[in-house]
RNA sequence: GCGAGUGUAGCUCAGUUGGUAGAGCAUCACGUUGCCAACGUGAUUGUCGUCGGUUCGAUUCCGAUCACUCGCUCCA
């Protein structure tokens, strides 16, 4: 119980820090905000791009058998008929005005009576659709209705044939994409964890059905390794949830879950999707999306193993995992120690990787020149205001792993001190070695 | 979507039994200081979430609405 209260406080602190330091804030706030939408500020957008770049490098650039794609958000409406979203995302619902129970009309035994309280005082059936609707062209009617994609993977299936032909890839191979997806969530909750506009990073891997479970295990291991090695997740911070109920076409599914302040939540799914998606798009489009294996003359419908990450949830997980308060020495009068707030973010995704600070404003010229050199290689920031200690703490709050201080000896000995965020220890480094020193620390 | 709570400066909050607001921190300037939120002086910041009603007058009372938090529901 006590821990729950602490976790609620933690969430509030994270939201407050994000707002105050320009990491994440409510969308359209001057108009009162809009439920389920969040903006990434100057530091948040840097972090988001860093995570995107890390995933893209990990999943696409370093692999010969995964290709990239950047498809449109609005697709032909039939795409969503084929995927099942139009059917499954759209239900006629009625509410009982008396006991407030909600029913799907098609699941009610008697559509005029509430099964719970037997009241007949029900609302008119109303359509609940989790897909966002828009219109293509200037005429707003049913014929011109289109939908914002509810997931980024469907356009991957739709473009499967084009990508394969263009790249001459043979099975097995994957197609990856990062992009926005939209869902009219009934109840957006928990900061950016469940929002109505969000970014997904998805990879669909196409293989022979006989090999599909091997690939499933492979991608599962790859993704776990990524979280441990690239994002620094410890064993007690994440867990694997194994789905017991599977879709009829799937052979396996796991979720990688993370310990958020509000409880365990899904961060990524590694799902076996069978031949379902390509089969459906073949049926609905009339185009045969099966694969001809020229080595043995066999034609197969590829089986799909998917890795699907929520980017916004990744950012939130990094913030939750990294938020730390600890006692630290202070030079303030009458106080022996003070609370230090820091974000322990992995250096490779920190919004600012290196802050360059003159020990005094008198040293601004040398420090600024050093900053301009460093800025080309790392996400960097220069700050000369207030005391050096205050600037360290400012950088701690946004998770800057290294502060480079240009001091009164620097001009003479051509060396600076590098201060570590987590240990607060300093090391003196020659300026000519600084870039390689930091590269060794930060990693890519 | 239902229920409860909350909404005052960038953040955390106080306050006004109805007469249009304050603190700490933050921010900025100057001085001082030379490695962990130092100090001094001064300064900036609010349509008191929004709209409407009652009132001579509303941040305060009433209604609606928006947003956030929690519980329920939902999570293909």
């Amino acid at each position: 119980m006590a821990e729950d209260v602490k976790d609620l406080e933690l969430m509030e602190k994270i939201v407050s820090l994000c707002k105050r330091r320009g990491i994440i804030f409510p969308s359209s706030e001057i108009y009162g905000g809009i439920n389920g939408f969040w903006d990434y500020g100057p530091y948040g957008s840097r972090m988001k791009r860093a995570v995107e770049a890390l995933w893209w490098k990990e999943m696409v650039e370093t692999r010969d058998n995964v290709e990239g794609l950047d498809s449109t958000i609005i697709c032909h409406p039939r795409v969503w008929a084929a995927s099942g979203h139009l059917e499954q995302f759209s239900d006629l619902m009625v509410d009982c005005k008396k006991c407030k129970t909600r029913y799907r009309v098609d699941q009610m035994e008697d559509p005029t009576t509430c099964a719970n309280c037997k009241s007949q005082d029900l609302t008119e059936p109303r359509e609940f659709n989790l897909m966002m609707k828009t219109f293509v062209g200037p005429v707003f009617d049913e014929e011109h209705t289109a939908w914002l994609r509810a997931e980024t993977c469907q356009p991957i299936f739709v473009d499967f044939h084009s990508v394969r032909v263009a790249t001459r890839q043979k099975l097995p191979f994957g197609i990856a994409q990062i992009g926005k997806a939209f869902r009219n969530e009934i109840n957006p909750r928990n900061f950016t964890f469940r929002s109505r506009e969000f970014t997904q990073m998805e990879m669909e891997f196409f293989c022979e059905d006989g090999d599909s479970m091997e690939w499933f295990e492979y991608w599962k291991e790859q993704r776990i390794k990524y979280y441990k090695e690239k994002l620094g997740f410890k064993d007690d911070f994440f867990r694997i949830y194994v789905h017991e109920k599977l879709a009829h076409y799937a052979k396996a599914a796991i979720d990688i879950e993370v310990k958020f302040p509000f409880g365990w939540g899904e961060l990524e799914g590694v799902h076996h999707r069978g031949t379902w998606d390509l089969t459906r798009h073949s049926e609905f489009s009339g185009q045969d999306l099966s694969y001809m294996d020229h080595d043995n003359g066999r034609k197969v419908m590829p089986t799909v193993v998917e890795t699907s990450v929520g980017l916004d949830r990744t950012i939130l997980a990094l913030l939750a995992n990294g938020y730390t308060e600890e006692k630290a020495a202070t030079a303030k009068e009458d106080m022996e120690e003070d609370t230090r707030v820091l974000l322990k973010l992995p250096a490779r995704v920190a919004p600012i990787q290196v802050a360059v600070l003159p020990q005094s404003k008198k040293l601004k010229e040398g420090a600024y020149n050093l900053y301009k050199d460093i800025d080309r290689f790392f996400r960097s920031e220069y700050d000369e205001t207030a005391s050096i200690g205050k600037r360290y703490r400012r950088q701690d709050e946004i998770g800057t792993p290294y502060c480079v201080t240009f001091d009164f000896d620097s001009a003479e000995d051509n060396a600076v001190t590098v201060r570590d965020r987590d240990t607060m220890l300093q090391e003196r480094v020659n300026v000519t070695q600084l870039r390689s020193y930091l590269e060794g620390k930060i990693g890519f």
Side-chain angles (χ1 to χ4, degrees):
Chain A
M1 197 66 184
E3 201 169 307
D4 290 347
V5 174
K6 203 176 123 206
D7 286 346
L8 289 179
E9 284 173 6
L10 172 60
M11 198 64 196
E12 281 168 16
K13 283 175 177 172
I14 290 170
V15 172
S16 166
L17 176 65
C18 284
K19 172 79 192 301
R20 192 159 44 84
R21 297 305 310 270
I23 300 172
I24 298 168
F25 32 71
S27 169
S28 315
E29 206 183 7
I30 63 168
Y31 288 99
I34 175 165
N35 192 353
F37 297 87
W38 300 91
D39 290 343
Y40 287 82
Y43 291 127
S45 57
R46 284 184 159 207
M47 191 175 163
K48 191 178 172 201
R49 281 173 183 272
V51 175
E52 269 183 40
L54 177 68
W55 185 88
W56 191 257
K57 187 165 192 175
E58 169 81 12
M59 296 298 284
V60 181
E61 287 176 4
T62 59
R63 297 176 190 273
D64 297 332
N65 62 349
V66 178
E67 302 288 349
L69 181 70
D70 191 341
S71 77
T72 58
I73 286 168
I74 294 172
C75 305
H76 193 289
R78 294 274 290 165
V79 168
W80 306 106
S83 70
H85 285 82
L86 280 181
E87 197 182 335
Q88 292 176 38
F89 263 40
S90 176
D91 296 308
L92 283 176
M93 311 283 281
V94 296
D95 293 322
C96 172
K97 289 181 182 173
K98 205 168 176 184
C99 72
K100 310 297 184 191
T101 308
R102 171 170 296 165
Y103 301 97
R104 274 174 60 171
V105 176
D106 61 346
Q107 291 181 346
M108 291 173 84
E109 277 185 30
D110 176 0
T112 64
T113 308
C114 173
N116 183 42
C117 70
K118 307 301 176 197
S119 166
Q120 299 203 332
D121 190 13
L122 306 175
T123 61
E124 288 297 304
R126 291 177 293 186
E127 192 180 335
F128 278 71
N129 197 314
L130 293 190
M131 286 221 293
M132 295 231 191
K133 191 180 195 173
T134 187
F135 300 93
V136 175
V139 180
F140 279 28
D141 61 16
E142 278 306 304
E143 196 182 334
H144 296 86
T145 297
W147 308 92
L148 307 192
R149 65 184 177 204
E151 55 187 24
T152 55
C153 65
Q154 291 302 327
I156 292 178
F157 301 128
V158 171
D159 287 352
F160 168 72
H161 182 72
S162 298
V163 172
R164 188 182 60 74
V165 168
T167 60
R168 295 172 289 110
Q169 286 281 4
K170 296 177 178 178
L171 292 191
F173 77 100
I175 304 175
Q177 143 152 288
I178 298 174
K180 287 287 180 81
F182 301 81
R183 295 178 198 179
N184 264 324
E185 294 290 354
I186 292 171
N187 195 358
R189 275 288 164 93
N190 295 325
F191 199 27
T192 57
F193 182 79
R194 177 169 294 135
S195 51
R196 290 180 165 142
E197 172 175 340
F198 53 98
T199 302
Q200 291 186 308
M201 307 191 288
E202 296 195 294
M203 191 279 303
E204 309 299 316
F205 197 76
F206 302 91
C207 59
E208 300 248 7
D209 191 56
D211 303 331
S212 63
M213 282 312 292
E214 260 175 66
W215 283 112
F216 177 83
E217 290 301 323
Y218 170 80
W219 285 112
K220 180 179 140 187
E221 294 311 316
Q222 287 287 299
R223 297 306 300 155
I224 290 170
K225 198 173 152 204
Y226 162 91
Y227 287 110
K228 284 185 175 176
E229 293 181 5
K230 297 293 183 180
L231 297 188
F233 287 4
K234 300 280 183 264
D235 285 337
D236 61 351
F237 184 67
F238 74 102
R239 69 183 185 188
I240 306 301
Y241 170 75
V242 180
H243 287 238
E244 286 172 10
K245 278 182 73 176
L246 293 174
H248 66 273
Y249 49 78
K251 287 184 180 169
I254 62 117
D255 291 341
I256 296 170
E257 296 185 333
V258 155
K259 195 192 271 176
F260 289 102
F262 49 81
W264 291 95
E266 182 189 348
L267 181 59
E268 169 159 3
V270 179
H271 296 170
H272 187 291
R273 295 180 71 117
T275 58
W276 165 259
D277 301 280
L278 289 180
T279 302
R280 290 278 287 191
H281 285 296
S282 293
E283 283 170 20
F284 277 69
S285 68
Q287 305 289 317
D288 183 6
L289 296 177
S290 60
Y291 170 84
M292 172 60 83
D293 187 339
H294 293 287
D295 293 341
N296 58 24
R298 281 194 308 119
K299 206 175 183 186
V300 296
M301 191 60 83
T303 291
V304 171
V305 173
E306 165 188 270
T307 68
S308 173
V309 193
L311 173 53
D312 309 85
R313 291 179 178 186
T314 306
I315 302 291
L316 187 57
L318 287 165
L319 295 172
N321 194 28
Y323 187 92
T324 308
E325 290 179 2
E326 61 180 36
K327 295 290 176 195
T330 179
K332 276 184 183 173
E333 286 174 7
D334 305 330
M335 290 182 77
E336 298 215 335
E337 38 182 36
D338 200 0
T339 302
R340 183 171 82 110
V341 174
L342 65 157
L343 283 180
K344 291 187 176 177
L345 301 174
R348 54 171 64 82
V349 298
I352 301 295
Q353 297 172 303
V354 181
V356 180
L357 315 169
Q359 192 180 6
S360 156
K361 278 181 189 168
K362 292 168 190 160
L363 301 162
K364 59 166 67 175
E365 197 178 334
Y368 192 78
N369 289 339
L370 177 63
Y371 158 69
K372 290 315 288 181
D373 284 341
I374 287 292
D375 190 42
R376 294 182 290 155
F377 308 110
F378 309 99
R379 291 187 294 278
S380 307
E381 192 169 78
Y382 173 81
D383 188 3
E384 62 178 35
T385 63
S387 70
I388 187 72
K390 181 160 204 159
R391 282 176 274 157
Y392 286 147
R393 297 298 168 83
R394 278 183 188 148
Q395 296 298 332
D396 288 341
E397 269 194 338
I398 58 166
T400 305
Y402 301 105
C403 290
V404 170
T405 302
F406 190 97
D407 62 26
F408 286 89
D409 298 326
S410 295
E412 282 174 37
D413 66 2
N414 201 36
V416 289
T417 56
V418 178
R419 180 257 195 188
D420 182 281
R421 175 194 66 203
D422 299 342
T423 63
M424 296 198 283
L425 297 176
Q426 289 175 299
E427 203 169 339
R428 195 147 188 97
V429 179
N430 193 284
V431 170
T432 56
Q433 305 296 313
L434 185 59
R435 181 185 165 190
S436 62
Y437 174 88
L438 289 169
E439 279 174 351
K441 291 268 190 187
I442 290 169
F444 289 95

